[in-house]
Amino acid sequence: MNTMDPDTMEPHGLTQRISGEKSSMTQKAVQDYYPDDIAVCYGCGKSNKHGYQIKTYWEGEETVCRFQPQAYHTAFPGYVYGGLIASLIDCHATATAASAKYHEEGKSLGIGTVERFITAALHVDYLAPTPIDVPLELRGRVKESKGRKMVISVTLSAEGKETARGEVVALKMPEDFLSKQK
Amino acid sequence: MNTMDPDTMEPHGLTQRISGEKSSMTQKAVQDYYPDDIAVCYGCGKSNKHGYQIKTYWEGEETVCRFQPQAYHTAFPGYVYGGLIASLIDCHATATAASAKYHEEGKSLGIGTVERFITAALHVDYLAPTPIDVPLELRGRVKESKGRKMVISVTLSAEGKETARGEVVALKMPEDFLSKQK
């Protein structure tokens, strides 16, 4: 079982092994840089009190997210339901995309906010049942970056065993995206 | 807005337009035929009081599921988060697979229980933002059936507009599946 760092309230070891310029992103989670007024996502919005509030951190060239499912997030007794796995992969991937693009554009976190990415496509391969009583670890990597489009690959592991693998095509949200939906 | 049928507590019209032999499946939802001891899925388990408890019905050659998101199931203000959409597609597809296979094997619902299908792969294309304040309608179809494997395609619509499309590769759960995980 992970122990918690009393200063950061994150699992011990999370901020270790950090290298490279992205280390500045690890003091706070990527999601903490999202604009407040749209930080309401059920999966990752810091303002959504009902949601999962997942947190994405950079560790070198990868992003990591650790998440402890609740007992009721089950598919079959003892195992995590696939919808939660898809949700975690989705939100971790869009956070990876948003922050990687921000970094790619030479911006420094803490100055302004990170622009959101939206999911165009999500693919998940379920490799093995995922046990529900241990913390899950997701690791994200940029597979492709081209203009507004990012392709992010994500692995999900439990106790060191990879149980799911995902790929997300994420698009930088156009500035008029929300107003155009009205 | 949908009104509810007081007898079935399902939206009016849900049991209409039913034809073919699968109509026997429409008196109860597919999920109501799942074995009680494993009907705990967060997405569709009738025994999971915290979960979505989605219901899948046959209408002719398609399955249908209607679901009203909660206000907090949001991605951005006013729109459904992608993880919920993936969850609904996943559970509706496995229910479609399980019941279609049951029917294909010439079995009658109500005698015994429907064997569960597990998800091997899930793909979702997000076509447009999905409004959160209206009931969502999912429609499933069998795309391929071969041995233990079923491929199910699902559309998700809001107010008649298709906003997401999914495909699920589902596998009939081996009888020793859960015991082998111990």
Side-chain angles (χ1 to χ4, degrees), chain B residues 4-20:
Chain B
M4 302 297 276
D5 182 322
D7 293 330
T8 63
M9 290 306 287
E10 296 297 338
H12 277 301
L14 201 64
T15 55
Q16 294 167 8
R17 291 173 291 140
I18 295 162
S19 63

Side-chain angles (χ1 to χ4, degrees), chain A residues 122-155:
Chain A
L122 164 69
H123 185 91
V124 182
D125 289 313
Y126 296 91
L127 309 175
T130 299
I132 201 166
D133 54 355
V134 296
L136 310 181
E137 182 179 278
L138 296 102
R139 290 193 165 266
R141 275 188 174 264
V142 176
K143 186 177 175 186
E144 185 188 326
S145 172
K146 192 174 180 185
R148 303 184 78 84
K149 175 185 169 189
M150 302 279 273
V151 182
I152 308 296
S153 57
V154 178
T155 60

Side-chain angles (χ1 to χ4, degrees), chain A residues 42 74 79 120 122 124 126 181, chain B residues 42 74 79 120 122 124 126 181:
Chain A
Y42 188 82
T74 185
Y79 299 98
L122 164 69
V124 182
Y126 296 91
Q181 310 301 331
Chain B
Y42 188 83
T74 185
Y79 299 98
L122 165 69
V124 181
Y126 298 92
Q181 308 300 330

Side-chain angles (χ1 to χ4, degrees), chain B residues 106-129:
Chain B
K107 297 175 187 169
S108 297
L109 279 169
I111 300 171
T113 49
V114 171
E115 290 168 287
R116 300 291 298 269
F117 270 62
I118 51 177
T119 306
L122 165 69
H123 185 90
V124 181
D125 289 313
Y126 298 92
L127 310 175

Side-chain angles (χ1 to χ4, degrees), chain A residues 42 52 72-75 81, chain B residues 40-45 48 50-53:
Chain A
Y42 188 82
Y52 302 137
Y72 50 79
H73 289 142
T74 185
Y81 98 107
Chain B
V40 296
C41 175
Y42 188 83
C44 63
N48 192 330
H50 297 274
Y52 302 136
Q53 299 200 348

Side-chain angles (χ1 to χ4, degrees), chain B:
Chain B
M1 183 166 165
N2 274 13
T3 56
M4 302 297 276
D5 182 322
D7 293 330
T8 63
M9 290 306 287
E10 296 297 338
H12 277 301
L14 201 64
T15 55
Q16 294 167 8
R17 291 173 291 140
I18 295 162
S19 63
E21 287 182 300
K22 296 196 190 79
S23 63
S24 63
M25 299 182 182
T26 57
Q27 300 308 303
K28 294 205 291 184
V30 173
Q31 289 83 2
D32 293 331
Y33 292 99
Y34 286 165
D36 281 346
D37 58 336
I38 56 170
V40 296
C41 175
Y42 188 83
C44 63
K46 61 181 180 286
S47 309
N48 192 330
K49 302 214 182 307
H50 297 274
Y52 302 136
Q53 299 200 348
I54 76 157
K55 301 290 186 189
T56 295
Y57 299 87
W58 281 92
E59 288 188 11
E61 292 304 308
E62 287 187 334
T63 51
V64 67
C65 164
R66 291 189 178 90
F67 187 82
Q68 176 63 62
Q70 299 295 314
Y72 51 78
H73 289 142
T74 185
F76 301 103
Y79 299 98
V80 178
Y81 97 107
L84 174 64
I85 289 170
S87 301
L88 298 176
I89 288 174
D90 183 16
C91 282
H92 184 55
T94 51
T96 302
S99 52
K101 180 62 75 179
Y102 199 79
H103 177 73
E104 195 181 293
E105 292 172 349
K107 297 175 187 169
S108 297
L109 279 169
I111 300 171
T113 49
V114 171
E115 290 168 287
R116 300 291 298 269
F117 270 62
I118 51 177
T119 306
L122 165 69
H123 185 90
V124 181
D125 289 313
Y126 298 92
L127 310 175
T130 300
I132 202 165
D133 53 356
V134 295
L136 309 181
E137 182 179 278
L138 295 103
R139 290 192 165 267
R141 274 188 173 263
V142 176
K143 185 178 176 185
E144 184 188 326
S145 172
K146 192 173 181 186
R148 304 183 78 84
K149 175 185 168 188
M150 302 279 273
V151 182
I152 308 296
S153 59
V154 178
T155 61
L156 183 144
S157 304
E159 296 183 308
K161 180 183 177 185
E162 188 179 343
T163 59
R165 196 175 296 165
E167 188 165 293
V168 170
V169 179
L171 303 175
K172 191 173 179 177
M173 184 193 280
E175 283 181 21
D176 60 353
F177 177 79
L178 291 175
S179 59
K180 276 178 75 175
Q181 308 300 330
K182 307 283 181 195

